[in-house]
């Protein structure tokens, strides 16, 4: 039975090599067959790196797009089709992971340097210089959308990203609403000072 399994593996490897050659010449049916045969290998390689099924699915699709455009670069002297596909998927997954990490780092850095510092002074002034009537008066000047965002971010302590998820709007929308609310509150405080 080990000999049969080895023969099946060899046949599959040879078939995948042929399919890659056909894909390089533009055969879309060969691409579909290759995807059906190798999907578990490509998906598993991406999932191992990313640890998230949805992101691994996206990465597998990107890997197959890369296969479609670069199948002619496969060299059977350097390894098996499965190893080549797994390597492509692993590299794409690593790139995605690095990109996600860098994006999160950029968001955090931007928020820390541009967003929170500007707003903390306003809220501090409201809390230290105002009684409840002044605060209520200032909040009434905000739109309901701005009040919702301000309530979640400043009163309930959520991050802008968490507030966006709660409100079902993009992260940037919450940032804009809070920024606009803070500007309105600054104007109100300047008028009442």
């Amino acid at each position: 039975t080990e000999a049969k399994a080895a023969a099946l593996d060899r046949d599959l490897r040879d078939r995948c090599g042929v399919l890659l050659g056909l894909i390089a010449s533009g055969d879309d049916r060969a691409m579909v067959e290759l995807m059906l045969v190798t999907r578990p290998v490509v998906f598993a390689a991406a999932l191992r790196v990313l640890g998230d099924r949805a992101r691994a699915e996206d990465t597998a699709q990107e890997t197959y797009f890369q296969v479609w455009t670069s199948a002619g670069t496969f060299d059977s002297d350097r390894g098996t089709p499965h190893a080549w596909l797994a390597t492509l998927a692993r590299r794409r997954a690593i790139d995605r992971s690095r990109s996600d990490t860098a994006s999160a780092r950029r968001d955090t850095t931007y928020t820390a340097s541009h967003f929170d510092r500007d707003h903390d002074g306003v809220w501090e002034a409201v809390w230290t210089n105002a009684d409840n009537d002044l605060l209520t008066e200032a909040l009434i000047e905000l739109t309901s959308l701005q009040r919702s965002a301000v309530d979640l971010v400043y009163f309930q302590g959520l991050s802008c990203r968490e507030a966006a998820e709660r409100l079902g709007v993009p992260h940037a929308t919450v940032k804009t609403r809070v920024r606009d609310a803070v500007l309105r509150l600054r104007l109100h405080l300047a008028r009442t000072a």
Side-chain angles (χ1 to χ4, degrees):
T1 60
E2 283 183 34
K4 285 183 182 178
L8 285 174
D9 284 347
R10 202 171 25 259
D11 289 345
L12 181 60
R13 183 181 62 234
D14 292 345
R15 179 66 185 150
C16 288
V18 169
L19 290 172
L20 284 168
L22 292 170
I23 293 166
S25 65
D27 187 333
D28 55 352
R29 285 178 293 168
M31 185 69 202
V32 171
E33 185 178 341
L34 182 76
M35 289 172 66
L36 291 172
V37 172
T38 62
R39 184 118 179 88
V41 171
V42 171
F43 178 75
L47 185 60
R48 243 179 266 120
V49 173
L50 296 169
D52 177 77
R53 296 186 71 79
R55 290 170 58 214
E57 282 288 338
D58 290 344
T59 301
Q61 289 176 353
E62 292 168 4
T63 300
Y64 283 116
F65 180 76
Q66 182 179 359
V67 169
W68 178 253
T69 60
S70 65
T73 64
F74 170 70
D75 182 359
S76 61
D77 292 334
R78 298 183 70 195
T80 66
H82 281 75
W84 184 69
L85 291 167
T87 299
L88 292 178
R90 202 170 17 261
R91 286 179 183 160
R92 284 217 165 261
I94 290 168
D95 287 347
R96 177 176 282 251
S97 180
R98 286 179 180 158
S99 174
D100 291 350
T101 300
S103 178
R105 191 177 311 121
R106 280 191 306 273
D107 283 352
T108 301
T109 301
Y110 178 82
T111 300
S113 65
H114 292 91
F115 187 70
D116 293 333
R117 287 188 187 149
D118 291 343
H119 303 180
D120 289 345
V122 173
W123 285 105
E124 188 175 311
V126 169
W127 287 114
T128 58
N129 298 332
D131 56 31
N132 285 337
D133 292 337
L134 182 59
L135 179 59
T136 302
E137 186 180 306
L139 290 173
I140 288 172
E141 288 193 15
L142 302 179
T143 67
S144 62
L145 297 174
Q146 290 170 336
R147 267 194 306 278
S148 298
V150 164
D151 176 56
L152 291 172
V153 173
Y154 286 102
F155 296 115
Q156 294 185 34
L158 299 180
S159 70
C160 285
R161 192 170 300 284
E162 291 167 332
E165 289 173 11
R166 176 97 44 101
L167 294 170
V169 298
H171 180 223
T173 300
V174 170
K175 283 183 170 184
T176 300
R177 288 178 185 171
V178 171
R179 184 196 66 222
D180 292 346
V182 168
L183 292 174
R184 279 184 149 187
L185 290 170
R186 277 189 183 147
L187 290 171
H188 181 80
L189 287 174
R191 284 193 313 260
T192 58

